[in-house]
Structure formats: structure tokens, C-alpha cells
Amino acid sequence: MHPITLRSALLLGAGVAALLTVPAAAQRAAPATDDAAASADEAQADSNDIIVTARRRSESAQDIPLAVSVLDAKQLDETGAFNVNRLQQLAPTLQFYSSNPRNTAVNIRGLGVPFGLTSDGFEQGVGIYVDDVYYSRVASATFDFLDVAQIEVLRGPQGTLYGKNTTAGAINIQTNQPTFDFEGRAEVSVGNYNFQQARLAVSGPLSETVAARVAFSGTSRNGTIRNVTTGENIQSLDNIGLRAQLLWEPTSNLKIKLVGDYNKQDAVCCGSVFVGTGATQRPLNRQFAALAAAQNYAPPSANPFDRLTDLDSNLNAGNVIAGAALKITLDVGPGTFTSVTAWRYWDWKPENDRDFTGLSIVALSQNPSQQDQYTQEFRYAYTGDRFDFVLGAFAFNQRIDTQGTEAHGINSSRWSIAPNNPLSLDPSVLNGLTARNTQFLKSTSAALFGQLSWKVTDAFTIQPGVRLNYDKKEGFYQRRVFTGTGEELTGRETDARSRAQLGVFQPQISAPEDTDWNLTYDLTLSYEVAPDVLAYGTYAKSFKTIGINQNGLPTDANGEPIAAAGTIRPETVDHFEVGLKSQFWNRKATLNLAAFRTDIRDYQATVNNGQLGVLRGFLANAGKVRSQGIEADFSIRPSARFTAYTNAAYTDAKYVRFTDAPCPPELAGGTTAVPGQTPSAPGTPGGISPANCDISGQRLPGVSKWSFSFGAEGNVPATFLGKPGEVYLGYDGSYRSNFSSNPSPSALTFVDGYSLSNLRAGFRSDDGLNLFVWVRNAFDENYFEQLFVGPGNTGLIAGLPGDPRTFGATAAITF
């Protein structure tokens, strides 16, 4: 654990300040920042005008024909949105799910990645960019934001302006840049559950041409779930982040910036609680109630919101994400050339309890990984009277190595082997049975992209874009199986004991690989129908590249791997969108509307095989999915004393055609029948399951039909501690309707809708002091972030409760 104290934060700040302090003569009158950020500061003269860099140049969010949500540093800090999970409460079209940092999904409008356990073999549908650097590991979404100036959530395909193609959208994070004036910010928060958070950022000149900025963030909190087996509180927070930037401006038209960052998590995480059981097609003596009774087992509580668990395996979610980047910006002729060279690293060291119980069924479940990623982007941007354009080239290379260990424990034989088999009474049959997995993925991508903006008239603009993409993927997977005595199984054994063991783990080796070319394009037409009213329409032909099954292959009736399942086809995306952006009441109010429809053919879905300890899913193509909806964003600021906002999204996302999907738990677990055969009633002896289920027309997982965010803040002038300023009171709320928490919709795994309310009250001084108290989930709403189907189709349902009510205080100063 990394204890965070005010003393340590202040000591760090003092050291950095001493390093950066120089004589006043060496300081410049104006800060030097990235080209986009600098012009953004100049354009921010109108306090109600929000400047974004979503199109690789600074412009008002109201002037771009694109659905985008913008959150500035003040809103992020005061609402406690210090990571993507909390960001979704402010951006209703964003969905975030995480059972641990590796198994994290970030979706927009219900699209992005398939719901379930993550496979390295597919690409993310929502790109995460930090200062133009693409973060391929979605685990970065679980870390704290570090010295952020602004976050833009872009909705819809992004490929003709961004290095890595993404089909659902992008999260564009802009950090604060080095300055040639000394400045900084320090913040300390404390709260219940022993919540402690410290942040510090200091910036200033080292010489007349060199400036530096250093930022630190640390967060710790006790867990919100009590493990009665170990005595620990799990689901804790323990994050450390460091970021350093060095800016050199040798001439007026050249900027060179070097950035390094290091982020570490060491939380006691990630577990679950018992939610309940449901009937499946398994014989009654192989469903949860009978299996638990046979071993005198009972969960610690039947009420999941008692927040008690009894997981007996060690839990760990330790991981490190770090990297370095070099950005060169050069004014060339009438435009600007930008080069971004970056390296990213990820080290993941998990430990899980994948049987979701206090029994030693799955004793070990861990798949540590190491990833190296290299990216290079070249971009030339031109802005003229009638024409603007961006031309770019992008290269991406990564390698991921994983060493997996899955081992069964002393309770596994009785749980996993049929009760009518005498081997079920011999704990030694499965105790110590271990699968050791070795795998790697090599992924290479290269692209040329560009976008033109032609102002046909002062009101009418045509904006075409195009992208040519090449992808190559090579994978390797090997599973070796060992008995509790250390004997390696080949898979050809015929004795009863070995067959029982091979029924849990089968040796396997595969080496899928594939390459693909894609040409995609988009076209946007926009028209200013009146001053401060912009209408637009967009069509985008996009794609998600090929995938490979990186966690082993499904097997046929003889137990042989199906080689054809090694690769999956790319997704083909047709996206349509119309929108209206408007400002009125002397720009004191903003109303933006968008309607969209996205059709995806060959949707890349995750299919879980249900084996105990082998919950790693494999990928398959669903026939077609569709997401369509309407979004509205409204904000008002009648005066400096009051602001309010409401954001709403209706999203209808469903499988249009998926005829061979995995069955939901209530239709699974029995003797396999011919597809289309009607199963017997759940829970009957010798139930019959269809091999697959047709879930065409059913909802996509993880997306609510209705979601809202809303809030307001008012203030009055006041003096406190001799400082003039304002006393303020703020409220932020969110609501989302129910959603499916299983790839195939199930009555057992629908998460009920819920609403959350956050309150804050405090004092802001005119010279940068901010003191406030806060309450999050003020009404202590009981809700689930996710529900999980237990392995083996026993009917067990586990879940991850959302955070209970938390409260605390924050002190921040900007200098």
C-alpha cells in the first residue's frame, strides 16, 4: 500500500518548486503550451464558449459538426470524477464496466467492445488518447486522471482524424502544459472509508527557452466489501501517478516536448458478493443449492448489500502503466506539422477467485501480462479562408506476453464431477489439477488518413474524410495440464481418473494469424441556419479490424480445437447521424441535439465456455447488431451566480441477427440437444440444452435505454479567512435504466435501474483557494455495477455492488 499524507505532498511540491524557481527576468509574460492548447486559451475570451481540439485544431465546440461532451478540470475536480468510471455519471452516453483492470470495457452508445471477459485478440472500439498518444490497454481507464485540463468524449466513428481507428468514439484527454510563468496547484482530500487523495502540479521555466511541468496524484481508500474469510476489506483503491513534461522552444515556430509518466495500482481487488441463484438445465443434484449442501457450504449473507464475501483465494489487481512520448510541432508554410512518437508499457499481476465462493474449487486464477506498445504519428494541419485539411500517417506495433495459471482446489472434485461418479468423493482427483498457459500476441497496424473541410459558402461546409488501414496479427497459445502429483496429461489418456481431469482442462496449442486491408471514409455536411445555430449530417463507413482467438480455441465433439475459429472477420460499420447545435439568450444557454443509427455486420462478440477456472472467453462473429438513439445536451448560465445542465440519451441497441449465440444460464448446463430443439423446464432431472440460442432482436448487454445526467450550482459573494470570494452549493445527479449484464440476455442478470445524487458545498476565493465538503451517492442507493454468471452453469449469480454513500472534504489552492 502507498499511504498518502499532506506532508508527503507538500514535500514533493517544495522540491519541485525549488527546482523550477528562477529569477523573474527569465520568466515570460505569457505561458507556452502546445499549439492547440495555446490558441484555445486565446479563444476562451467568452466564458460561455468551450474550446475543443477534437478535430486537431482549436475551435468552439458549438462550431464543429460532431457530437461531443466536454468536461473541464473544475467540473472533474469538484464532482470527484477522477477516473473514467466516475466520468460516466457526467456523460450519459458513456458506459464503463470493470471486474478488474484487465477486464474493463469502455463503450459509447452501447458499442465498443463485447461485454464479458477481455481478450487481447480484438481492438477497442473506443479510443483513449492522452495528449495525442493512443493508449491501447483499456486498463488505463481505471487509473486516476493526472493534471487534466479538459476531457472531450467524442461520439461516433473516429478514423479520418485520429491515429488509431475506432468505431464507437474516443475519449480525448488534454493535460495542462508546461508554462514559462511559475504556477501550480495543490489539493488534498479526506473522507470516510479512510479515503485519502493528494494531487500536486507545478510548472515553470528552467531557462528562456525551456519550461517544465511535474504532476503527482495519489489515491487510497479502504475496500467497501468485507471478506469474512481473510478479514480484509476488498475493492480498495491504491493508485499512484507521476507525470513530467519538458518543453523546449528553440525558435518561435518550433516546439519540442518530452513527456514521461508512471502509474501504479496495488489494490486489494477484485472480488464479488453472492447475489442469488436461478434454475438451469443441469440436473438438480448439480445445481448450486445441492452442490453447496453436499459440502455444508452457505454464503456469508443472502443480502448482497450487506457487502460480505468469503472468497478464499488471494486477490490482487497490481498493475503498472507507464510510458514516454516525444512531440514535435513545427510551423511549415501555411500549416503546422506535428510528430508524436510514443512508447507505452503495461505490467499486469492479477490474482482472482473465479469460483465466486468460499470453497476451494478454483484455487488459483491468474493471467499476468506484459505489454510493449510503440506508436508513430505524423500529421499536417492547414487552416485557410475556404479550406482546412488534416493529412496524417500512423504506425502501431505491440506485443503482449501472458503466463496463465489455473488450478483447482480440494473442494473441486465434489463440485465438478457428477455425483453418480465415485470419483466425485475423492478430493485428490482434481485437487492441484493445474493448467499452465503460455501465450503472446504481436499486432502491427499502419494507416494513412485525411480530412478536408471546404467552406462552400460562409454558411455551408462539406467535410469528406478517408482512411486506408493495414493490420497484421500473430498469436500463440499453449495450455499444458498437470495433475496434483505433477504428472503432465497429454489428452490421450483413457482411464477414468484422467478423463475426469481432462473434463476440466484439455491440453491445447494454436497459432492463429491474419492480415487485412480496409478503406473507410466519411462525409459530413453542415449548415449554419442562423447565427449560433448549426445543423449537420454525417455518414461514416468504418470498421473494426480482424481479431484472433488469443485464449485458446473452442473444441468440436471429439475435443479437438476448431482451427477455423482461430480468426474472426472484421466488423463493417455503417453510421448515420444528424444533429443541431444552438446557443441563445445572448449565448447564456446551449441546446445540442443528435440522432444516430449505427449498423454493424460481423459484430465481434465474446463467448464464454463456462468451464470452471477457464472463464476466458473466445471470440466469434455475430451476424448483425444495431444501435440507434437520440441525445440532448442542455446547459444554462444566466449569470456568474448560477449554472445548470441536463444531458439525456435514449439508446436502442440490439442484436439484429445472432442465431448461434451462447445460451443464457437458464437454458444452459444440460445435455446438449440439436440446435432449435426445445429444452425441458429448468431444473428438471436430465435437462436438455440447445447447443446454441437465437438471440436475434434482443438487447445488447451493458447499455441502458435511458440515461441522464443533471446538475446545478449557485453561489453568492462572501469573505472567508479575510479572502474575498464566493460560497457555493452544487448538486450533480445521474440516472440509468436497467441493462443486461450478460452477453446473452438473461432474466437472472438484468441490473435494475438506479439514480445517484452527489452534493458539494464550499468557498472559493478570488485568489485560488477552494475549500469544500462533499457527499457522493448521498441517498445511499443500493445498486450493482455488474452481475456475473458463476462458472459451470450451476445457477450461481454473483455481483459487484456500486459504492455506498461516501463523504469527505477537499482543500485546494491554485498559485
Side-chain angles (χ1 to χ4, degrees):
M1 303 289 288
H2 308 290
I4 301 165
T5 64
L6 177 61
R7 178 176 178 273
S8 63
L10 293 178
L11 286 174
L12 177 63
V16 175
L19 173 67
L20 296 177
T21 303
V22 297
Q27 298 188 19
R28 297 184 181 181
T33 65
D34 275 358
D35 52 312
S39 55
D41 289 340
E42 297 170 3
Q44 195 82 43
D46 183 346
S47 61
N48 285 349
D49 208 17
I50 299 173
I51 304 303
V52 297
T53 59
R55 297 198 300 176
R56 301 308 196 185
R57 53 186 178 269
S58 294
E59 52 197 338
S60 169
Q62 291 303 110
D63 292 339
I64 62 173
L66 175 69
V68 56
S69 301
V70 185
L71 302 113
D72 62 18
K74 175 179 174 291
Q75 187 176 11
L76 294 170
D77 291 341
E78 294 185 355
T79 59
F82 56 79
N83 57 28
V84 175
N85 184 20
R86 299 194 175 198
L87 187 66
Q88 68 175 334
Q89 295 182 26
L90 301 174
T93 58
L94 183 69
Q95 295 94 36
F96 175 92
Y97 308 98
S98 180
S99 58
N100 64 34
R102 181 193 188 97
N103 293 306
T104 296
V106 179
N107 287 353
I108 292 176
R109 295 171 169 171
L111 303 174
V113 294
F115 194 88
L117 294 177
T118 299
S119 169
D120 295 327
F122 61 73
E123 302 288 337
Q124 303 299 315
V126 175
I128 298 176
Y129 294 86
V130 180
D131 289 344
D132 292 350
V133 175
Y134 174 67
Y135 283 38
S136 69
R137 304 315 304 167
V138 73
S140 62
T142 67
F143 282 86
D144 293 357
F145 296 138
L146 188 56
D147 198 21
V148 168
Q150 181 169 281
I151 296 178
E152 302 160 10
V153 180
L154 287 64
R155 311 195 287 271
Q158 308 295 323
T160 60
L161 277 176
Y162 282 76
K164 199 76 170 75
N165 182 71
T166 54
T167 56
I171 299 174
N172 184 30
I173 301 173
Q174 299 290 326
T175 71
N176 293 304
Q177 302 299 308
T179 60
F180 283 92
D181 275 341
F182 179 74
E183 67 175 36
R185 186 177 189 277
E187 176 187 298
V188 174
S189 299
V190 295
N192 62 334
Y193 291 96
N194 199 27
F195 175 79
Q196 301 177 65
Q197 187 175 74
R199 302 186 196 181
L200 180 69
V202 182
S203 180
L206 301 180
S207 72
E208 290 190 348
T209 59
V210 178
R213 187 178 190 95
V214 178
F216 160 83
S217 175
T219 303
S220 69
R221 190 200 68 184
N222 292 343
T224 57
I225 298 174
R226 183 71 172 173
N227 189 329
V228 299
T229 298
T230 65
E232 293 180 304
N233 294 315
I234 68 170
Q235 308 305 110
S236 66
L237 299 176
D238 192 3
N239 302 340
I240 287 287
L242 292 168
R243 182 178 179 87
Q245 303 180 72
L246 191 65
L247 174 67
W248 178 35
E249 290 190 1
T251 65
S252 61
N253 66 341
L254 175 63
K255 299 175 184 178
I256 300 174
K257 187 180 69 170
L258 180 64
V259 182
D261 69 277
Y262 175 87
N263 306 271
K264 183 177 182 180
Q265 289 181 335
D266 193 18
V268 181
C269 188
C270 298
S272 59
V273 299
F274 174 84
V275 175
T277 62
T280 75
Q281 294 296 314
R282 271 194 162 202
L284 288 175
N285 63 357
R286 300 203 67 191
Q287 297 197 37
F288 183 86
L291 292 170
Q295 304 201 50
N296 297 314
Y297 172 74
S301 174
N303 179 3
F305 298 108
D306 286 342
R307 300 180 183 272
L308 297 176
T309 190
D310 61 349
L311 303 179
D312 59 310
S313 297
N314 195 42
L315 299 179
N316 184 25
N319 70 124
V320 171
I321 286 184
L326 179 66
K327 183 173 183 178
I328 301 172
T329 306
L330 176 65
D331 293 333
V332 180
T336 301
F337 170 79
T338 302
S339 170
V340 182
T341 306
W343 164 74
R344 303 296 306 163
Y345 172 74
W346 181 51
D347 186 14
W348 167 235
K349 297 179 179 178
E351 294 177 278
N352 304 295
D353 191 323
R354 286 300 183 192
D355 58 47
F356 303 145
T357 73
L359 295 172
S360 184
I361 303 167
V362 180
L364 289 176
S365 178
Q366 50 202 49
N367 288 273
S369 297
Q370 307 82 40
Q371 182 246 11
D372 278 288
Q373 167 197 318
Y374 301 89
T375 57
Q376 174 64 60
E377 182 172 351
F378 297 115
R379 194 169 67 241
Y380 184 76
Y382 167 82
T383 301
D385 293 335
R386 287 295 178 188
F387 292 95
D388 302 335
F389 67 82
V390 174
L391 294 175
F394 179 76
F396 170 86
N397 180 266
Q398 75 167 341
R399 177 175 175 129
I400 307 172
D401 289 276
T402 300
Q403 311 82 35
T405 302
E406 311 282 344
H408 278 233
I410 196 168
N411 300 116
S412 183
S413 293
R414 191 70 179 270
W415 192 275
S416 308
I417 301 174
N420 59 357
N421 186 333
L423 292 176
S424 67
L425 301 177
D426 183 354
S428 69
V429 176
L430 297 185
N431 187 27
L433 181 70
T434 301
R436 300 191 183 280
N437 306 327
T438 302
Q439 62 190 81
F440 69 76
L441 169 71
K442 293 189 288 186
S443 179
T444 302
S445 179
L448 299 173
F449 60 91
Q451 188 179 91
L452 171 70
S453 185
W454 175 27
K455 303 177 184 68
V456 181
T457 69
D458 289 342
F460 180 53
T461 300
I462 300 174
Q463 180 182 285
V466 67
R467 180 187 186 91
L468 177 64
N469 211 89
Y470 169 78
D471 290 281
K472 179 179 180 180
K473 291 187 176 182
E474 300 175 71
F476 174 80
Y477 174 86
Q478 182 182 39
R479 181 199 292 156
R480 301 175 66 190
V481 180
F482 299 87
T483 68
T485 60
E487 176 188 358
E488 183 171 3
L489 299 177
T490 66
R492 295 186 294 272
E493 291 81 2
T494 58
D495 61 284
R497 185 183 182 92
S498 296
R499 298 315 298 174
Q501 294 165 337
L502 292 170
V504 177
F505 294 132
Q506 281 273 355
Q508 189 179 124
I509 187 168
S510 62
E513 62 178 278
D514 204 357
T515 61
D516 194 42
W517 288 88
N518 283 280
L519 177 67
T520 58
Y521 46 88
D522 57 47
L523 177 66
T524 297
L525 307 179
S526 61
Y527 186 75
E528 188 176 4
V529 297
D532 294 328
V533 180
L534 178 72
Y536 68 89
T538 295
Y539 168 73
K541 183 76 170 182
S542 188
F543 77 101
K544 184 194 285 188
T545 189
I546 50 174
I548 63 174
N549 268 308
Q550 192 57 25
N551 299 316
L553 301 181
T555 57
D556 60 21
N558 298 318
E560 295 297 322
I562 303 172
T567 61
I568 57 172
R569 297 182 298 276
E571 294 181 355
T572 302
V573 180
D574 289 288
H575 175 77
F576 306 86
E577 183 163 338
V578 293
L580 184 72
K581 294 191 168 186
S582 63
Q583 289 181 298
F584 51 95
W585 196 14
N586 196 26
R587 293 193 172 184
K588 295 177 180 178
T590 299
L591 175 64
N592 296 334
L593 303 172
F596 69 91
R597 178 180 173 120
T598 305
D599 293 299
I600 302 179
R601 294 188 300 275
D602 290 326
Y603 178 74
Q604 296 173 358
T606 298
V607 177
N608 290 330
N609 57 16
Q611 283 180 267
L612 278 164
V614 197
L615 274 174
R616 315 307 306 166
F618 62 89
L619 297 175
N621 289 107
K624 185 178 180 181
V625 304
R626 184 261 289 146
S627 178
Q628 63 184 13
I630 300 174
E631 300 159 352
D633 301 303
F634 173 75
S635 63
I636 187 169
R637 188 182 183 186
S639 73
R641 298 297 170 204
F642 181 77
T643 61
Y645 69 91
T646 300
N647 305 314
Y650 170 78
T651 308
D652 177 19
K654 70 177 185 179
Y655 298 101
V656 176
R657 186 175 62 256
F658 196 3
T659 58
D660 56 351
C663 291
E666 58 265 41
L667 295 180
T671 304
T672 300
V674 176
Q677 180 174 339
T678 302
S680 56
T684 58
I688 297 176
S689 301
N692 302 103
C693 286
D694 185 349
I695 60 172
S696 302
Q698 299 196 44
R699 289 169 60 179
L700 284 179
V703 57
S704 301
K705 281 199 171 185
W706 293 98
S707 55
F708 300 88
S709 63
F710 38 87
E713 181 182 295
N715 66 76
V716 296
T719 299
F720 182 66
L721 299 176
K723 294 177 177 290
E726 60 189 28
V727 171
Y728 63 91
L729 175 66
Y731 169 83
D732 296 280
S734 63
Y735 168 79
R736 61 180 307 184
S737 61
N738 71 351
F739 62 91
S740 169
S741 190
N742 193 59
S744 295
S746 165
L748 305 179
T749 55
F750 261 90
V751 173
D752 292 336
Y754 59 87
S755 60
L756 301 175
S757 294
N758 304 327
L759 300 168
R760 64 186 183 277
F763 170 79
R764 291 189 205 99
S765 73
D766 295 340
D767 60 1
L769 177 67
N770 191 0
L771 305 172
F772 62 98
V773 294
W774 44 265
V775 182
R776 297 177 186 128
N777 190 6
F779 301 109
D780 204 19
E781 176 94 351
N782 287 328
Y783 68 100
F784 290 108
E785 293 188 351
Q786 281 184 269
L787 295 175
F788 313 108
V789 177
N793 293 305
T794 66
L796 170 64
I797 304 297
L800 178 60
D803 281 350
R805 179 193 295 121
T806 58
F807 52 86
T810 297
I813 185 168
T814 302
F815 52 90

